[in-house]
Amino acid sequence: MPDVFADLVGQDEAVDTLRRAAASAAALLRAAATRHAATRPAARAEPDELDALAEAGEEPAGTGREPGAGMTHAWIFTGPPGSGRSVAARAFAAALQCARGTGCGECPGCHTTMTGTHADVRLVVPEGLSIGVNEMRALVLRAASTPSGGRWQVVVIEDADRLTEAAGNALLKAIEEPPPRTVFLLCTPSTHPDDISVTIRSRCRVVPLRQPPADAVAEVLVRRDGIAPDVASWAAAAAQGHVGRARRLARDPEARQRRDAVLAVPRRLTGVGAAFDAASALIEAAEAEAAASVTEVDEAERTALQTALGAGGTGRGAAGAMRGAAGQLKDLEKRQKSRATRTQRDALDRALVDLAGFYRDALTMALRAPVAPVHTDTAALAEAGAQKWDAEGALRRLEAVLECRAAIEANVKPRIAVEAMMLALWRG
Ligand SMILES: [Zn+2]
């Protein structure tokens, strides 16, 4: 049976660090339990009295055991999208809860963490564009409680770069004065101050993940998902190191169709009108893709809330209850709208990454660089572009796509940014 780190593709160094930290964490718990038993043999070890991590710093060096070495209470996982930041954080959380202290993948601690049902592991996945302060305060409060499983309270914050400033401050306070058994695992694209505040960064250990090589991604698609080797290597290259995206491309014909439509863009840019048409098509495709992925969830949430509120009730108090219910439904709709916006942006960004890959191929071909193309299926078209545009022309186009991504990230209206990009791609 593969252990909890098996899904981390091409990240040997990070996995090594995390294994060592998990072993230290397990040693800390054992050391604390032994100390406790020695001082108060009759009492059961109370986790909140152990102060495991705080005491770790006081261990004299060179005693041979040094149980604290390698473990700390706040971590940041960095890396490009799809490199497995949240996979790494979850795997580490499982290893911390593992009965064997290794992340064996078999014990209840590992299993419940990996399936998202462990009582002492909280996972924050922001659904809107940011994580708000109320959510963070509630989380920090719960994270300070004693771990019910007797090991660690683990808080995983995916997309920690989407914390609001106030939420970041609430988190910082918890990280500055950490409860003894609480571990924070943050995921961000980088440690740049735009992604995570300098003060939070200074209190965390950083685990950098790299963009996994295409052959490592292909290997995992074959081994774990049973995908045919030729499809797996095509999808791994086309997804540019994004494991989840590679799997979707290999399995989902609709994802492949959407990608084909994006890669048809360079061919279709024959004039100003065509450039605007291409912009509309790209935006609408992102909207449709986002709608397809959220509609079902939206509906299920709405039904669940209505059931919980007892919709359709009559009699005394029903009118007042209905007024409260209307407020809750409104809140839900607001959250759903914010999630839809984010899903749309993510879909558009994926399309832009595909498009950037095409112009990158044209650029490397114009430079005769010995690099494998990102999109093997449009290599001939990229070669034609390379001949027509030369390296400079290909580079200008690649930059136009990257500028469009940056503009949308900086909150320029997507349609405006995409139209400007299409015009730049057409004019060259
Ligand atoms: Zn285990």
Side-chain angles (χ1 to χ4, degrees), residues 4 94-95 97-111:
V4 295
Q97 306 294 9
C98 175
R100 295 172 198 167
T102 58
C104 65
E106 290 170 333
C107 72
C110 283
H111 189 71

Side-chain angles (χ1 to χ4, degrees), residues 96-127:
L96 291 175
Q97 306 294 9
C98 175
R100 295 172 198 167
T102 58
C104 65
E106 290 170 333
C107 72
C110 283
H111 189 71
T112 51
T113 304
M114 295 307 271
T115 52
T117 54
H118 197 294
D120 298 332
V121 179
R122 248 159 293 284
L123 184 66
V124 186
V125 187
E127 296 200 321

Side-chain angles (χ1 to χ4, degrees), residues 123-392:
L123 184 66
V124 186
V125 187
E127 296 200 321
L129 291 170
S130 61
I131 307 174
V133 65
N134 288 336
E135 194 181 347
M136 186 52 65
R137 286 207 184 110
L139 189 79
V140 162
L141 204 65
R142 288 203 54 190
S145 61
T146 305
S148 60
R151 297 187 71 87
W152 307 95
Q153 281 281 6
V154 185
V155 179
V156 180
I157 304 177
E158 284 188 20
D159 300 323
D161 52 309
R162 287 173 173 166
L163 291 173
T164 62
E165 200 186 333
N169 288 337
L171 175 65
L172 176 63
K173 227 181 269 170
I175 291 181
E176 277 178 333
E177 289 163 33
R181 290 291 193 95
T182 305
V183 181
F184 291 94
L185 309 179
L186 317 182
C187 307
T188 71
S190 75
T191 52
H192 188 277
D194 283 352
D195 286 338
I196 194 84
S197 84
V198 175
T199 38
I200 291 183
R201 153 78 188 83
S202 70
R203 286 177 166 78
C204 297
R205 186 168 305 165
V206 179
V207 181
L209 302 175
R210 62 189 85 213
Q211 179 171 312
D215 53 356
V217 176
E219 191 268 325
V220 85
L221 292 187
V222 172
R223 175 171 52 81
R224 194 183 44 195
D225 304 304
I227 290 162
D230 55 333
V231 177
S233 10
W234 165 79
Q240 303 176 60
H242 192 307
V243 184
R245 170 97 177 121
R247 183 174 303 120
R248 257 195 311 280
L249 282 176
R251 284 181 150 174
D252 177 2
E254 278 177 32
R256 280 202 292 275
Q257 270 169 24
R258 282 193 292 266
R259 172 181 169 277
D260 289 347
V262 169
L263 291 177
V265 163
R267 260 194 306 252
R268 291 174 50 192
L269 295 173
T270 51
V272 177
F276 279 102
D277 287 348
S280 287
L282 200 64
I283 298 279
E284 280 152 24
E287 283 170 359
E289 184 185 344
S293 73
V294 299
T295 307
E296 213 170 297
V297 187
D298 281 1
E299 194 49 45
E301 283 174 354
R302 207 185 152 81
T303 312
L305 181 60
Q306 277 168 337
T307 311
L309 295 170
T314 51
R316 289 174 67 164
M322 282 310 287
R323 275 197 297 278
Q328 288 194 42
L329 272 174
K330 218 171 179 168
D331 277 352
L332 177 67
E333 277 161 16
K334 212 170 114 192
R335 280 203 307 279
Q336 290 180 338
K337 201 167 163 228
S338 156
R339 177 171 61 200
T341 306
R342 188 181 153 196
T343 313
Q344 260 173 42
R345 288 202 190 184
D346 289 349
L348 184 58
D349 195 58
R350 272 196 299 279
L352 293 173
V353 169
D354 282 347
L355 204 54
F358 174 81
Y359 291 107
R360 173 195 169 278
D361 286 348
L363 176 62
T364 54
M365 286 170 188
L367 293 171
R368 303 272 157 248
V371 205
V374 170
H375 302 299
T376 45
D377 43 356
T378 52
L381 197 63
E383 181 62 54
Q387 307 248 339
K388 198 165 130 196
W389 304 324
D390 262 345
E392 294 93 277

